[in-house]
């Protein structure tokens, strides 16, 4: 009889231990599924059921498992867009030039950057190139060096508005080459 009682207690203890272990494992999995860590220099886009919910900044954040998901990390540090193909421009005095440039920009709105287009930097390049072509139609260039010193801020103010709907701010235009074609 005593042996039966000891055996029954040991079965109950085993069941309790198994339940506690399963509860602990379930808790660890729940914490893992409901948390997201965002590195510094990044923001992360959180969606609920596939729709934008919020943007989270660096640090630990909690989500509702299975409803929320972290879909993308967006680099918020300054970046450089290197233009690999020169663009052709024609000036007011009908001179043909090729211009090589790069843009320094920073993402200021991670959600706009992510949802505006999957290729925000491509859009930035295309729109910048179009604005350069339009801008140079009204400019006479006598000396490239004088032009570059004099027109830096004009070009930047022309390009800055392109970034707003893309969630980026253009900080600097670096003209690496402006040569007669």
């Amino acid at each position: 009889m005593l042996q039966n009682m000891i055996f029954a207690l040991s079965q109950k203890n085993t069941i309790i231990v198994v339940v506690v272990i399963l509860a602990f494992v379930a808790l660890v999995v729940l914490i893992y599924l409901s948390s997201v860590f965002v590195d510094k220099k990044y923001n992360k886009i959180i969606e609920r059921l596939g729709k934008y919910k919020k943007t989270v900044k660096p640090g630990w954040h909690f989500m509702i498992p299975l409803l929320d998901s972290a879909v993308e990390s967006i680099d918020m540090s300054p970046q450089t867009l290197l233009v690999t193909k020169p663009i052709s421009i024609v000036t007011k005095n009908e001179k043909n030039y090729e211009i090589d440039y790069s843009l320094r920009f920073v993402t200021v709105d991670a959600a706009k950057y992510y949802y505006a287009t999957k290729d925000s930097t491509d859009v930035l390049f295309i729109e910048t190139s179009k604005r350069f072509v339009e801008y140079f139609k009204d400019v006479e260039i006598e000396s490239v060096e004088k032009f570059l010193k004099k027109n830096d801020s004009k070009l930047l103010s022309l390009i800055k508005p392109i970034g707003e709907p893309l969630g980026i701010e253009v900080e600097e235009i670096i003209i690496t080459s402006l040569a007669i074609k």
Side-chain angles (χ1 to χ4, degrees):
M1 181 118 161
L2 186 59
Q3 281 183 332
N4 286 343
M5 286 176 54
I6 293 173
F7 181 70
L9 281 174
S10 109
Q11 277 185 326
K12 283 183 183 178
N13 287 344
T14 303
I15 291 172
I16 290 172
V17 168
V18 168
V19 168
V20 168
I21 289 172
L22 288 175
F24 179 75
V25 168
L27 182 64
V28 168
V29 168
L30 184 65
I31 289 171
Y32 175 76
L33 291 174
S34 65
S35 66
V36 63
F37 180 76
V38 182
D39 290 328
K40 69 179 187 179
K41 298 194 316 182
Y42 288 88
N43 283 357
K44 199 166 276 242
I45 305 296
I46 306 294
E47 290 183 347
R48 176 166 287 166
L49 298 173
K51 296 196 188 300
Y52 175 76
K53 180 183 178 208
K54 64 182 175 179
T55 302
V56 292
K57 299 196 180 300
W60 279 103
H61 301 276
F62 291 96
M63 309 178 298
I64 300 172
L66 305 175
L67 292 179
D68 294 343
S69 59
V71 293
E72 187 72 31
S73 291
I74 307 295
D75 189 348
M76 303 300 282
S77 62
Q79 300 174 55
T80 301
L81 172 64
L82 298 171
V83 178
T84 56
K85 181 180 159 198
I87 59 170
S88 296
I89 56 171
V90 179
T91 61
K92 185 176 183 179
N93 50 346
E94 297 184 16
K95 289 186 180 177
N96 292 316
Y97 285 87
E98 280 195 340
I99 185 169
D100 282 315
Y101 67 95
S102 58
L103 301 173
R104 288 211 19 100
F105 69 93
V106 64
T107 305
V108 291
D109 186 329
K112 276 186 181 180
Y113 182 80
Y114 181 70
Y115 290 108
T117 173
K118 296 294 183 200
D119 301 314
S120 291
T121 52
D122 290 344
V123 171
L124 181 61
F125 163 70
I126 291 165
E127 292 302 317
T128 299
S129 297
K130 286 179 186 175
R131 296 222 180 156
F132 274 179
V133 169
E134 285 300 311
Y135 174 76
F136 282 101
K137 283 182 183 177
D138 298 328
V139 173
E140 289 186 25
I141 300 177
E142 304 83 32
S143 161
V144 172
E145 293 80 22
K146 283 183 188 176
F147 170 80
L148 294 177
K149 286 180 185 174
K150 200 167 58 171
N151 289 287
D152 255 1
S153 62
K154 285 181 185 176
L155 287 172
L156 188 57
S157 65
L158 180 73
I159 301 307
K160 271 191 176 236
I162 296 170
E164 198 280 322
L166 301 173
I168 58 180
E169 181 179 311
V170 177
E171 296 179 329
E172 183 181 13
I173 299 171
I174 303 138
I175 297 178
T176 52
S177 151
L178 180 63
I180 294 178
K181 204 162 138 181

